[in-house]
Structure formats: C-alpha cells, structure tokens
Amino acid sequence: MAVEISKSYAKKIRSKLMNIAVAPGQYAHFINAGTDDILSVLEREYFKDELVEGISCFKYLEGDYGSGKTQFIHSLAERARTNDIVSSIVDIGQECPFNSQLSIFKAIMASFVAPSVGDSDASEDKGIEILLRTWIINKLRKLGWSSGQDIPDMARRQVEQTFTKAWLGAPDTQMAYALMALGKRIIDMESGAQVSLLDQELIAWVRGDKITSKNLRENYSLHQPARDETAFKRLKTVIEFLRTWLGFKGFFIAFDEGTRTNTFRRGSVKQKQAIENMLTMINDAGGEFGGVMFLYAATPDFRSDVIQKYPALFDRIGSVAFVPGRPITPLITLETINTEKVIREIGEKLLVVFAKAEGIDWDQEVQSQNIETLIQGIKNIEYLEEDAVSPRHFVYPYCRLLEQQKFEEKKLSVEDAEIFVQTHAIPASEDDE
C-alpha cells in the first residue's frame, strides 16, 4: 500500500526514529516493508467484510525482538482507520498486566482511536469519549451544523435521541446508563456547556477508574466502579453500544507484549489468569465480542514455553502459520519475512522519508550501495553469516548514517560500516524494548 508522505509526517518520523529505536507509532506504515501481502489479506477478509458482518476473530502475532511486531500492528491499525474500523493498541506491561481484566479494560478504553475515512491526517486523540464526540460531531455536520455555531434544536433532538432510548438486555446495565449519560453531556459541551466536575467524574468512571461519588449515584445511578469481575462485561457493553447503536463498523484491538514475555512465574496464578483472559477473548469472539479482531503479539518463547503448556489455548492458536491462502489461521509469524530484500526496501523508504524531511536529493547509486554495505557491516559485527538482520538493528544505525550523509554523501567501505555499527549500537535500554 504505497502512500505519498508529506514533509510534516516525514519530519515526525525522522524525529521519532532519531530519538528511540522503536516503530514510529501511527506513522509506521510509511516505512513498512515485507508484510503488505498479509496486511492486504487481513484488510480484505476482515476490515472490509467479516467485522462489518459482526463476525470476530483472534490473531496471534509472533516474532523475535526487533522483528517488526509493533511496526506490523501500527500498519494494520492504519488499514483499520482507512476502512472505518475503530482501533486500540495496548502495551502489555506493568501498567497493564494481561492477568487483570480491569487493567485490560482500562487500557482499551483509554486507547480507542476513531477512524477517519478520507482524512489523511489521523487524529492523535484517544479514548472512549473521543469516539462518542467524533460520532456526535459527524452526525451534527450531516444535519448542517458547523463547529462554532449554535446547534439547531431539530438537529440536537435527532442526535440526542440515540442516547435517550431504553436499552433492554445490556450486558452491564450501569455501563449502559453511563454511555447514554456521557453522550448527552458531550452534546451539551458542543452546545457550549462548560466541563464540570461531574463530567470529569463520569468520563473517569466510564474509562474504568476507581471512582465513586454521591453525584454519580444521584445523577446517573452509577454505584460501582469497574472491577476485575465486571470489566469484560463492561467492555462487551461498550463494543455492543458502539457497533449496534452508533454504527461503528468494527474494531481492531491489539496487545503488544514487547519484551514482557514470561512476566509471570510459570504456572503461577497470575500466568494462569492471563491465559484464561486470552481464552475468553478467543471463545467470546464467536459472538459476545461482535465485530472485533483481537491480536496478541509476543516473542516465540511465549508460545513454546507457555502456550504449549495450556492445551486449550494451544489448540486454538496451533502451529500452522498464516499465509494469504488461509486467512482464517490464527498464527502469524514474522520469522521468515525479514529477508535482506525487505531490509533493503526499508532502507529505500527511509531514504524517501529523510529526503522529504530535509529537502535532499540523494545520489541513489551512493545510497543504494550504502544500504548494502551497512547490512553487511551489521552482519559481520552482530550476526552469524546465515542469520537475517532484524529491522531494528538496521534502522537504528541507518537513520544515524543518513543524518551524516546529508552533509557529505560518500560510499562506505565494509570496514567503515563495521566501525559505524560499533559506534552507533542501540543503547541497551532501547534494545530491550
């Protein structure tokens, strides 16, 4: 999916890559390489079809450190955005351990990103309240309203009625009340109402914060904040409301484990609960979580050391990897994707990014040769000859090389490349990301 990049985006990508050795977030798709075939199949099968029909799925993404798992997730999230699919990317770690349903719920609610079809400038605003506000503003605009104007009474009534209808059979009645109340308050805010303490408490309650107040009880009948026992039921309520009441087409919810593999002691209560939470997502993706693609990303040792010890989970994920011809397969592996050809392609895309950011007209012959030489230098210093270079171990020094080359372009010798790699190694704290 070739995308023309603006100078503004190019500068943001360059800044992110020069500051830390991780995928550049929502801009990752501009430098993505090697996975377009898989991304296109997932987009066609799920974002354009099954999620819209209310069908859900679970995908397990596997790759070594630096192999591009985070890059893949953000590139897939961009495909979701342009297909009117809501996305949420959650980093699994101390702030969100996967054994806690409450932590998972809170992280998802805080990281929802609204789709913006036809808008190349994706918003960085996140959260459940952003989704509601986006929907409300879009509806009002279709009724002729523009930001800064008073909302006509008829338009207000038409939008407000969505948040006043009775909802019988909601998975969690309290969350249903809260979503209705928040929608009405956002309409009030767009009409000029000031954000009150009660509004702040309501948003915090909906997001899953541990908050109780007399005002919430008296105004909205909200008595209990979310707990581990109620968190997934409330998440199901939110998904159902967004999909069936507001008409969002589907959801892409990804969990990026990074280096947090085996955070819990093997066989511990916490590890067992994390596995149970994963099984719940897989099993309930058949119906209760309608229109959701869940994706969990981890390193190979998590599957070999942990998942294989839990037959119910291993049977659902399996050992047969996804290929374009069998998109229903849960397991997606990045092991064989990162060939030298892919690393070269990443290098060529980074050349475009840095050229756009700096207004540089590169000598393509010189820079193409430098990509080859740097790859060889990295292999000589950090890899066995037969091993493939990981994207991260290439991108980090290559970006720093381009910063030098913009002042004076010259071809590197292999010896130059080896010295450069040794003096521009990824800092240990970043290499462990």
Side-chain angles (χ1 to χ4, degrees):
M1 189 173 73
V3 183
E4 181 71 25
I5 188 169
S6 67
K7 185 171 185 176
S8 173
Y9 279 4
K11 286 185 172 182
K12 288 178 180 178
I13 294 173
R14 184 197 59 185
S15 176
K16 286 178 178 287
L17 292 175
M18 291 300 296
N19 281 306
I20 188 168
V22 296
Q26 69 183 91
Y27 309 107
H29 61 285
F30 286 112
I31 60 170
N32 188 61
T35 59
D36 279 347
D37 286 348
I38 297 176
L39 294 170
S40 294
V41 170
L42 292 173
E43 178 182 20
R44 183 178 67 250
E45 295 291 328
Y46 295 102
F47 296 162
K48 293 183 180 295
D49 187 7
E50 295 206 352
L51 299 190
V52 181
E53 298 296 326
I55 300 169
S56 299
C57 67
F58 181 91
K59 299 297 180 185
Y60 184 87
L61 178 66
E62 182 175 281
D64 284 316
Y65 300 123
S67 62
K69 295 187 298 296
T70 301
Q71 179 86 2
F72 183 96
I73 288 171
H74 282 280
S75 297
L76 188 54
E78 172 63 14
R79 304 271 185 135
R81 184 185 75 84
T82 57
N83 281 278
D84 207 13
I85 301 295
V86 175
S87 63
S88 174
I89 300 174
V90 174
D91 291 326
I92 297 300
Q94 289 186 346
E95 292 186 7
C96 182
F98 204 72
N99 71 300
S100 168
Q101 292 191 8
L102 177 58
S103 295
I104 293 170
F105 170 72
K106 290 176 65 176
I108 292 172
M109 296 295 279
S111 58
F112 273 133
V113 175
S116 46
V117 175
D119 181 1
S120 60
D121 187 10
S123 172
E124 295 187 16
D125 293 332
K126 299 178 181 180
I128 179 62
E129 71 277 15
I130 301 301
L131 288 187
L132 298 184
R133 183 173 181 270
T134 299
W135 184 88
I136 288 166
I137 288 175
N138 287 341
K139 287 294 182 183
L140 289 172
R141 285 176 176 168
K142 289 178 181 178
L143 295 170
W145 173 79
S146 298
S147 299
Q149 295 180 345
D150 292 333
I151 299 176
D153 289 341
M154 185 180 71
R156 180 187 176 108
R157 285 195 299 271
Q158 285 191 39
V159 175
E160 198 172 58
Q161 67 182 1
T162 300
F163 301 98
T164 58
K165 295 183 293 186
W167 185 359
L168 302 176
D172 185 275
T173 304
Q174 291 237 313
M175 179 55 79
Y177 290 155
L179 292 170
M180 299 290 191
L182 182 55
K184 286 186 283 188
R185 282 303 299 160
I186 291 174
I187 296 173
D188 291 338
M189 294 173 203
E190 291 303 313
S191 300
Q194 296 298 308
V195 179
S196 66
L197 175 61
L198 178 58
D199 295 330
Q200 294 173 352
E201 290 178 344
L202 177 59
I203 292 171
W205 191 96
V206 170
R207 277 180 169 236
D209 291 348
K210 189 176 181 180
I211 181 171
T212 57
S213 79
K214 182 180 179 181
N215 286 334
L216 287 175
R217 289 194 301 272
E218 291 181 348
N219 287 274
Y220 304 124
S221 300
L222 303 180
H223 305 286
Q224 291 287 340
R227 309 185 310 275
D228 268 324
E229 298 79 8
T230 61
F232 273 16
K233 187 178 291 186
R234 291 193 174 176
L235 179 59
K236 292 171 185 176
T237 306
V238 172
I239 295 295
E240 184 176 338
F241 181 77
L242 294 172
R243 191 172 70 87
T244 62
W245 288 61
L246 302 191
F248 285 103
K249 290 183 177 180
F251 306 85
F252 170 57
I253 300 177
F255 303 96
D256 190 357
E257 193 176 78
T259 62
R260 285 85 181 179
T261 302
N262 296 337
T263 300
F264 308 125
R265 182 172 54 84
R266 294 180 188 177
S268 67
V269 172
K270 289 183 177 180
Q271 187 183 86
K272 289 178 180 177
Q273 185 57 57
I275 296 300
E276 285 299 321
N277 291 341
M278 195 176 294
L279 278 169
T280 297
M281 290 181 182
I282 295 172
N283 295 337
D284 289 358
E288 293 187 57
F289 283 118
V292 182
M293 175 190 284
F294 288 111
L295 183 147
Y296 193 96
T299 51
D301 53 331
F302 183 70
R303 185 162 60 98
S304 61
D305 294 350
V306 179
I307 291 177
Q308 285 193 349
K309 305 297 191 297
Y310 295 88
L313 183 58
F314 181 76
D315 289 345
R316 287 163 174 79
I317 293 176
S319 57
V320 178
F322 175 107
V323 294
R326 47 173 186 261
I328 198 171
T329 305
L331 177 62
I332 301 171
T333 64
L334 300 180
E335 180 181 358
T336 59
I337 291 175
N338 292 318
T339 62
E340 286 192 17
K341 179 181 178 182
V342 169
I343 300 301
R344 292 187 201 101
E345 187 178 341
I346 293 173
E348 296 292 341
K349 290 189 175 186
L350 286 170
L351 273 177
V352 173
V353 167
F354 276 69
K356 181 71 76 168
E358 296 284 355
I360 298 172
D361 186 14
W362 296 111
D363 184 323
Q364 290 297 321
E365 181 185 354
V366 169
Q367 297 308 331
S368 293
Q369 183 60 52
N370 283 346
I371 291 173
E372 299 288 345
T373 307
L374 186 64
I375 291 172
Q376 188 60 52
I378 294 170
K379 292 185 72 171
N380 292 350
I381 297 298
E382 300 189 22
Y383 289 83
L384 297 174
E385 182 61 31
E386 65 272 14
D387 290 342
V389 173
S390 75
R392 181 173 298 170
H393 285 155
F394 170 77
V395 170
Y396 187 88
Y398 186 59
C399 288
R400 280 138 191 84
L401 177 63
L402 290 180
E403 281 292 295
Q404 281 192 7
Q405 291 280 310
K406 72 181 184 183
F407 297 110
E408 181 185 2
E409 287 191 83
K410 61 179 182 180
K411 288 185 179 180
L412 296 181
S413 66
V414 173
E415 183 180 1
D416 291 336
E418 291 174 355
I419 294 171
F420 192 87
V421 170
Q422 290 175 314
T423 56
H424 294 83
I426 302 174
S429 61
E430 293 184 14
D431 198 24
D432 291 338
E433 282 293 327

